[in-house]
Amino acid sequence: MTHILRIETSIKGEASVSRKLTDRVVSRLTASHAGATVTTRDLAPGVPQIDGSWMSAVYTPAGSRTPDQAKIAGYSDALLDEVKAADVLVIALPVYNFGLPAQLKSWIDHLARKGETFNYTETGPVGLLKNKRAIVALSSDGTKMGSEIDFASGYLRHMLGFFGITDVEFVAADQMVFDPEATLTRAEAEIDRLAA
């Protein structure tokens, strides 16, 4: 059975283009995979930034953590467990100021844990989250995906690959400010052509 993890990041709520795109992606996947399950993690309200307390908490053995460490590590572990349990990640990527939303960057930071999502070897880093697919729904007002001012899509693709997720597809409603209706229609058509 296919398990889908949907990651929402837009602060625009129902007006969000990236949410419209992830709605369509998830609908397409669930229609094509009988019995598929979906977990949604909405990061819009914010994700705590990692800091020294986080590092101390997640790298302290569970049985030796203080109550504060257990709370910090528990939240981070829940994010990690959701990704490990997923077969497909559907990630909303609205481009804010040419980059990722801060809450999406913080989510990635929580996942970047040696021994959990990657290891270093003599030949370089090796991602540990194998055999997963990611579909990223990118939206932007003025930034063209893949252009020299797009610091979001390349970073996200790199980090997913660093974690071992190399089957990554993007659907883009980029440069919405110029022709929003045609741009959204084109992105929806890209979704409809995705291999489910």
Side-chain angles (χ1 to χ4, degrees), residues 1 6 11 25 30 33 92 147 165 182 187:
M1 183 179 351
R6 177 179 180 166
I11 59 175
V25 172
T30 54
H33 297 275
S147 71
I165 304 169

Side-chain angles (χ1 to χ4, degrees), residues 47-67:
V47 176
Q49 292 185 350
I50 64 169
D51 58 13
S53 297
W54 172 86
M55 184 166 286
S56 176
V58 299
Y59 289 110
T60 296
S64 301
R65 291 173 180 156
T66 67

